[in-house]
Amino acid sequence: MPDLITSLRELLTQCEAVDLSPVLENDIPRWPTHPPLVIQPTVNWKHDGYYCQTVFMGEHTGAHVDAPAHQVSSMMESTIEVYPPDYLCAPAVTYPMHRLNAKPGQRITADQILRLEEEMGDAAGEGEIVLMDFHWFQYWTTSGDWKFYAKNEPGLAEDAVRLFAERRVRAVGSDTIACDTPVIAGEEMESYGHHVHWLPNHILIMEELQNLDKLPVRCYFIATPLKIKNGSGSPIRPFAFVPRN
């Protein structure tokens, strides 16, 4: 066992950890019907002799994961705390979806993804994690028009969602606010990942990731949700190990 731990440590020193989560702070974008994040410095040195903040937030705040119970009424037993702590720790493949130049409300098809995989020279397989880089995090802001990020995004056609489901991937994540769901001017369209092919098959969905543009095609992805009783999902602190140059 010591040799195994030593080998693991040596391997990790050859990698860089890329942070894939935004900073949690007041006024970050949120799904329009979700509660806002509120961080209040309620305990301070002058008044209390130490420093501590109070945090109020929904389970789907910032970088987060959706459990099946969030969107599938027949799976209320499949809440976030029933999944093992390493469920979101696996090899990942990053898809440069931005190359397809999809606009808010548009759907990317399976054929487009297959052609993209030919360009990438790789594809996500069973037990792996799909990371979709739409370059959408450029619209993330805590001031100005933060609602654009929350109310607009491209998504996936049903055959594209089914493509990943049939490969039995572990999870799918994106830098958008609702992963596969097309949204334009606040109008939400049908989400085949949330309702039909992913969550119903225990393929978890991660949203609001950042820095996906800093990842190579392949990396090792790590994220752990909070162990929330009956959780519909949870904030996560995702990161990826990538080989150092």
Side-chain angles (χ1 to χ4, degrees):
M1 182 60 72
D3 289 341
L4 177 60
I5 298 300
T6 299
S7 297
L8 178 59
R9 179 181 178 182
E10 290 176 351
L11 286 172
L12 292 179
T13 60
Q14 299 175 40
C15 295
E16 175 186 358
V18 179
D19 190 351
L20 303 178
S21 62
V23 174
L24 294 181
E25 56 184 317
N26 291 319
D27 302 322
I28 63 172
R30 66 181 187 275
W31 187 250
T33 58
H34 285 187
L37 168 65
V38 179
I39 304 175
Q40 172 64 33
T42 47
V43 177
N44 60 71
W45 280 101
K46 182 178 180 180
H47 185 268
D48 305 286
Y50 68 101
Y51 173 61
C52 181
Q53 298 188 117
T54 298
V55 179
F56 172 86
M57 62 181 174
E59 293 171 320
H60 304 266
T61 298
H64 67 274
V65 60
D66 294 354
H70 179 48
Q71 292 286 329
V72 187
S73 62
S74 62
M75 298 180 69
M76 287 304 296
E77 77 288 351
S78 296
T79 47
I80 198 61
E81 81 280 11
V82 306
Y83 291 89
D86 61 349
Y87 199 83
L88 297 177
C89 301
V93 176
T94 305
Y95 283 72
M97 307 296 274
H98 57 89
R99 294 183 189 173
L100 303 175
N101 199 32
K103 306 300 182 184
Q106 293 182 345
R107 294 185 184 272
I108 291 169
T109 67
D111 283 343
Q112 287 178 293
I113 289 177
L114 291 172
R115 289 196 295 271
L116 195 59
E117 289 176 338
E118 289 182 6
E119 295 176 15
M120 295 158 49
D122 207 340
E126 183 172 356
E128 297 183 329
I129 291 174
V130 174
L131 300 175
M132 300 190 296
D133 176 19
F134 290 94
H135 275 16
W136 218 249
F137 218 80
Q138 64 182 302
Y139 302 116
W140 176 281
T141 179
T142 58
S143 61
D145 189 15
W146 67 267
K147 291 182 180 179
F148 182 86
Y149 180 86
K151 293 186 175 184
N152 296 274
E153 65 174 33
L156 301 186
E158 184 173 12
D159 62 354
V161 173
R162 188 188 301 113
L163 174 69
F164 290 129
E166 290 176 348
R167 292 180 181 175
R168 302 174 65 86
V169 299
R170 176 79 57 85
V172 180
S174 77
D175 59 350
T176 59
I177 203 166
C179 203
D180 68 296
T181 310
V183 184
I184 182 168
E187 181 181 351
E188 175 189 2
M189 303 176 190
E190 173 59 30
S191 172
Y192 298 105
H194 286 77
H195 302 144
V196 184
H197 298 294
W198 291 348
L199 292 183
N201 290 297
H202 300 282
I203 299 170
L204 303 190
I205 296 174
M206 297 176 289
E207 296 156 339
E208 299 181 56
L209 306 180
Q210 72 166 3
N211 290 332
L212 296 182
D213 58 326
K214 296 181 180 179
L215 298 180
V217 173
R218 277 202 169 263
C219 64
Y220 193 85
F221 180 90
I222 295 177
T224 53
L226 299 175
K227 200 172 183 180
I228 302 171
K229 181 69 174 178
N230 298 324
S232 68
S234 170
I236 55 176
R237 179 69 185 271
F239 64 97
F241 280 120
V242 302
R244 295 185 185 277
N245 294 329

